[in-house]
Amino acid sequence: RAKRAAMAMSALVELAAGTMAGVGICLVGHPFDTIKVLLVMQTAENPMYSGMMDAAKKTISSDGVAGLYRGVASPLVGMGLFNAVQFASFTALRKVWTNDGREDTIARIAGAAVCTGAIAALIEGPQDLIKSQMQKQIASAKAAATRGTPAPPAEFASTWDCAKQVVARRGPIGLLQGIVPTIGRNMIGVGSYFVFYEMARRAFTNNYERQPTSLEVLTAGGFGGVMYWMLCYPVDVVKTVMQTEPLDPAKRKFSSSLAAARAVHAAHGWSGFTRGMAPAVARSVPANAVGFVLYEWSKEALSRR
């Protein structure tokens, strides 16, 4: 009984610390994510923005700083839940893979992290769909304003309205639009995220001869975040294309992730798979640095109670 109680308490600590990390990552990173979607969605024939800074300036000019946080409600809730599940799943899988005294190698950490990515995608996918649909609506209105034409009618009144309409039109399965590239992205990205974070921590502490400092955790977290996006970004572009398609399957251009990838290449060449990468990588450093520090601090504080 005591062992089960300790395991339950450990799981609760992981969930709480992961939630804190998710909230911090979202608040720091959402403006960068908004810019990323704007850059991915613009057409090659009539681009609205020359780059990341231009997109940020124009968004703030037209909507204020609040414009960078449009659609934040869904990821704020979702990132808390997502990171709670992500950190708890990773810790549990890591323990399973190193059970019976097996060495906690980088290869075993990678296996646990890749599996964690697939699990977490089932939560992150619906969250990303709603966020992408809301950001697409904003981008369409901006494009119309640039052309001097009337803005199309808003499809969704709010983030919550978007979620309700997805379920009303397509049922709960509608929330899984774009789930295949989401799982692919997460398996690559989350695998890289934890592996490079762990490698950096081991390098800083000479394989844990001492505990890492807060600055070292910040640096390792930022490094893990950068590697997440550097390695999975082309798949994320395909995911964004799939998740900004109409909710009605009959109105969609692409029947599969492969079709979407081919369309990106046809329209923009190989560079199409890196559009919007700059804000994603820029976001990853402060957001994940803060996220890992909040996770480690929260975990340490809660474990002492």
Side-chain angles (χ1 to χ4, degrees), residues 21-301:
V23 170
I25 289 170
C26 181
L27 292 177
V28 173
H30 191 79
F32 295 95
D33 208 40
T34 298
I35 294 166
K36 183 201 76 173
V37 172
L38 293 175
L39 292 175
V40 170
M41 286 191 60
Q42 66 181 352
T43 62
E45 298 79 17
N46 187 29
M48 292 178 58
Y49 313 108
S50 60
M52 181 176 74
M53 294 305 297
D54 185 49
K57 288 177 183 177
K58 287 180 178 175
T59 299
I60 294 172
S61 177
S62 61
D63 302 313
V65 174
L68 297 173
Y69 281 93
R70 291 282 177 86
V72 74
S74 169
L76 187 60
V77 174
M79 283 297 285
L81 178 60
F82 165 70
N83 276 276
V85 171
Q86 176 173 264
F87 279 99
S89 298
F90 174 69
T91 300
L93 287 167
R94 185 175 180 178
K95 287 178 180 177
V96 168
W97 285 44
T98 57
N99 206 4
D100 301 325
R102 286 175 291 183
E103 186 181 355
D104 191 18
T105 62
I106 293 297
R108 290 195 174 103
I109 290 170
V114 168
C115 292
T116 296
I119 294 167
L122 299 176
I123 294 172
E124 192 173 22
Q127 164 206 317
D128 276 2
L129 171 65
I130 294 165
K131 177 180 69 176
S132 294
Q133 289 288 324
M134 291 299 296
Q135 291 174 331
K136 178 185 74 170
Q137 181 170 283
I138 296 163
S140 297
K142 289 181 181 296
T146 300
R147 294 191 302 266
T149 59
E155 191 173 4
F156 313 111
S158 64
T159 300
W160 177 238
D161 180 56
C162 179
K164 288 195 296 183
Q165 288 201 44
V166 171
V167 175
R169 296 185 202 180
R170 299 279 296 143
I173 196 70
L175 293 168
L176 298 181
Q177 180 176 327
I179 194 63
V180 171
T182 303
I183 292 173
R185 179 201 66 176
N186 277 25
M187 291 178 72
I188 298 168
V190 175
S192 305
Y193 185 58
F194 283 113
V195 164
F196 284 101
Y197 173 68
E198 182 66 22
M199 288 173 66
R201 281 172 60 102
R202 292 185 182 195
F204 285 139
T205 61
N206 196 18
N207 208 24
Y208 289 117
E209 289 185 356
R210 59 174 176 79
Q211 287 299 307
T213 65
S214 295
L215 179 59
E216 288 168 344
V217 172
L218 274 168
T219 305
F223 180 52
V226 167
M227 296 310 297
Y228 176 110
W229 284 112
M230 291 291 288
L231 296 177
C232 78
Y233 195 81
V235 184
D236 185 75
V237 170
V238 176
K239 178 201 75 74
T240 299
V241 170
M242 296 291 287
Q243 290 188 326
T244 52
E245 283 271 86
L247 299 180
D248 183 355
K251 297 180 180 179
R252 294 176 192 166
K253 296 179 182 178
F254 313 115
S255 59
S256 67
S257 300
L258 183 59
R262 285 173 174 164
V264 170
H265 183 264
H268 306 285
W270 292 112
S271 65
F273 294 101
T274 61
R275 287 196 309 159
M277 180 183 276
V281 173
R283 166 195 184 276
S284 68
V285 176
N288 290 288
V290 168
F292 268 113
V293 167
L294 285 174
Y295 168 75
E296 298 288 357
W297 283 355
S298 300
K299 185 176 177 180
E300 183 180 349

